[in-house]
Structures are given as structure tokens and as C-alpha cells.
Amino acid sequence: MAVLLLALLPVPPKHSKSSKADRRQRKINANTLQDVFELIFAPLQDVAHVCIPIDCADGKVRLCFPTLSAWIADHMENVGLHGLKTNACPKCEVPTNQLGTNARSYRARDYARYQRYKPENQTSGSETDDDHVMNLGIGQNIFHGLDRVSASDMFKPDILHTIHLGLFTHMMDWIEAFLKKHGRLQAFDEVWKALPPYPGFLVPKKAYREVT
Amino acid sequence: MRNLGRCILGVLAVALRQPGGAQAIPFKRAIRCVRALVDFNIMAQYRSHTPDTIAYMEDYLDQFHRMKDIFLEFRVTKHTQAKVDKQRKEIRRQRALIRERVAPSQRRPDAQRRSGRRG
């Protein structure tokens, strides 16, 4: 896999207060991010309709239409890029209280509809039921408006963020608390340290709790 | 964490061996829950998928959701949320009961009196 550095994104300091000045600054930050991405995506927009010749792995040259199809990031980056609140799913309109359940029947996010809806809402200044469904943040979705790109399909779960850093970290917290409650934590640590070596498996030298 | 996925199930099974009388069911449920997550992780590493492998992964996910209750008390936010929801429901029920008990004719003078005081 080849990786090419295109740009370094500006990361502004966090604003925890909800004062007017902070809100204005957050809006400016969101607009700056939007402008940076417009710059990055500009060449991609140009070739979305006009094909370009690209060298293929089999040695031939083919006419290609490169399109953006995935964006791998952790959740906080994703909500920033999609212009959502932190407790929102970037893929579908699942309500916040349904997160973590096995609900799969919510419709995919339609960012075109959100953009039509947002300016009207901002003038009225009041929150409606739709706001809670959409969970929109301050900025706009940076992927919306790109040709041949479906913004709600940009989010792709990956092993590192979703499973190793997300799911397993939580699971180990639960297991530790569970073992503590049932008085098996010592036994767990002893078995953990006594694991035999195996090809491709790195034997842990310390107990799980001793490794931060 | 990569190593963890390879050994956690075995380590947990050994740590939870020979359960006491009341521990048998929670231990079984905890192992099943962890097994579902580990199986899901292993299948997620496949480079390509068929409808069968996707069905397996959905099965593991369903199994996790069926068994996750065993860890609910350790999932602080979820546990608190469940408690808060229960309390809110109770408050709403009590309010509805009070409203039913107070007749509309009794409520009106109160409201007038309150508005009079404010003015």
C-alpha cells in the first residue's frame, strides 16, 4: 500500500465554553477546514468527469475516473469532517439513546437534505425534532458536493479504531471489573503471565494490569 | 491489542474455571459474550468476504447483544443511563397521577391566584 502525504490539516485548540465568541471561533475553524478540503479535493473534482490515463498493475495504461470511496479516521475526526455532533453516527440517523444497541433499520444520512434544511433552521433559531434526528454540528460535511461521491458511505470502520482501540479497550475494562467482583483477578494475571510462546505470538512479560 | 485478541478467550476460560454454585451462569455468559467479540474480531480480519462470512459476523454481533447484559453493571454510562431513564419514567408517572387527581375546577383559581401575585 502506497501512502502519499497531501496536506497537514489545521487542528485548532478546543473551546469548551459555549460563549458567543467561542461559537464564532468554532464556526471560523469549521469554515477553514472546509476551505482546506476544497483545496485538497479540487484536482479530484476536475478528473471526476474527464478520464485520465493511469498505469495499471498489468503494465497497460487505462483510462480511469478516480473517485473518493473511503475515509479512515477515528470517531472524533469523523464527526468533525461530517459536520455532526459528537454523539451522532456519521452513517445513519440512529438516535443517541439507541447507540450501542443492535438497531439496524435507520435510514442513511442524506447530507443534501441537511444542507437545504440548515439555513432555514438557523434563521428561526429554535431546535425542532428534526435537529435531534440529524444531530448536526457547527460545520458542513466536507464530502458533500463532490461528484460521484456518497458522503454517508465515506465512513468505513477499521480494525485499529473500531476493534482494537474501541471494542477491545472497553471489553477489557468490563472483564477486569467482572473478575474483581468475582475474586478471579489474581488467577487471570497468573495465567496471563504464564502464556507459552507460539510463532507469531508475542508472549506478555507483565500482567495485563501492569501494562498501561 | 492484536496479541490480546489471540489469547484473551483462553486466559479468561482458565481464570474462570471451577465456578462456585451461583457463579456458574454469570461465568458462562461472560465467556460467551467475550467469545462473540473475539470471533467477530477474527472474522473482521478476513481479506475478502462471502454472504456466509457476513452471516457469521452478524450472528456473533447478535450473540454479543444477547449476552452483554452480564457486563451492564460495569458499563458506567449505560448503567447510569438506564437508572436515569427509570427515574424519569417514574417521575412522569407520578406527575400524571397528580394531574388526574386534581380536578380542572380546582386548578383554575390556583392559576389565577399565582398570576395575580406576579402582577
Side-chain angles (χ1 to χ4, degrees), chain A residues 9-12 28-38 80-81 142:
Chain A
L9 298 176
V11 181
I28 293 169
N29 295 346
N31 287 342
T32 312
L33 195 72
Q34 179 92 19
D35 292 345
V36 171
F37 271 100
E38 264 175 30
L81 299 179
I142 54 134

Side-chain angles (χ1 to χ4, degrees), chain B residues 49-62:
Chain B
H49 284 275
T50 63
D52 284 344
T53 57
I54 300 284
Y56 273 122
M57 287 179 76
E58 283 184 350
D59 272 356
Y60 296 142
L61 206 59
D62 287 341

Side-chain angles (χ1 to χ4, degrees), chain A residues 171-188:
Chain A
M171 187 185 78
M172 285 316 290
D173 289 344
W174 307 338
I175 290 177
E176 257 189 80
F178 181 83
L179 291 166
K180 200 174 177 185
K181 184 188 170 188
H182 293 279
R184 300 280 177 134
L185 208 48
Q186 192 63 34
F188 181 84

Side-chain angles (χ1 to χ4, degrees), chain A residues 8 14 36-37 68 77 83 98 112 126 137 142 158 177 195 197 210:
Chain A
L8 295 170
K14 284 190 178 105
V36 171
F37 271 100
L68 195 65
E77 287 165 4
Q98 292 285 308
S126 60
I142 54 134
D158 62 305
L195 282 169
E210 292 167 19

Side-chain angles (χ1 to χ4, degrees), chain A residues 172 175-176 179 184-194 207-209, chain B residues 4 7-16:
Chain A
M172 285 316 290
I175 290 177
E176 257 189 80
L179 291 166
R184 300 280 177 134
L185 208 48
Q186 192 63 34
F188 181 84
D189 284 346
E190 279 165 17
V191 181
W192 184 267
K193 276 194 283 190
Y208 179 78
R209 280 181 296 161
Chain B
L4 187 136
C7 63
I8 183 67
L9 194 59
V11 175
L12 190 69
V14 177
L16 299 183

Side-chain angles (χ1 to χ4, degrees), chain A residues 7 90 147 169:
Chain A
D147 294 322
T169 316

Side-chain angles (χ1 to χ4, degrees), chain A residues 99-102 104 159 163-164 167-168 171-172 174 177 179 181-182 184 188 191 200-202 208, chain B residues 1-6 11 15-18 23 27 37 41 45 62 65 68 71 73-75 78:
Chain A
L99 287 171
T101 61
N102 208 7
R104 295 176 197 174
I159 300 261
I163 294 186
H164 289 161
L167 197 147
F168 273 1
M171 187 185 78
M172 285 316 290
W174 307 338
L179 291 166
K181 184 188 170 188
H182 293 279
R184 300 280 177 134
F188 181 84
V191 181
F201 173 69
L202 215 65
Y208 179 78
Chain B
M1 284 291 164
R2 279 185 76 177
N3 258 338
L4 187 136
R6 292 170 181 156
V11 175
L16 299 183
R17 71 185 185 281
Q18 295 168 345
Q23 289 177 328
F27 282 14
L37 290 180
N41 165 44
Q45 292 174 35
D62 287 341
H65 283 288
K68 68 182 177 182
F71 292 125
E73 58 185 301
F74 314 117
R75 297 163 73 203
K78 294 272 171 192

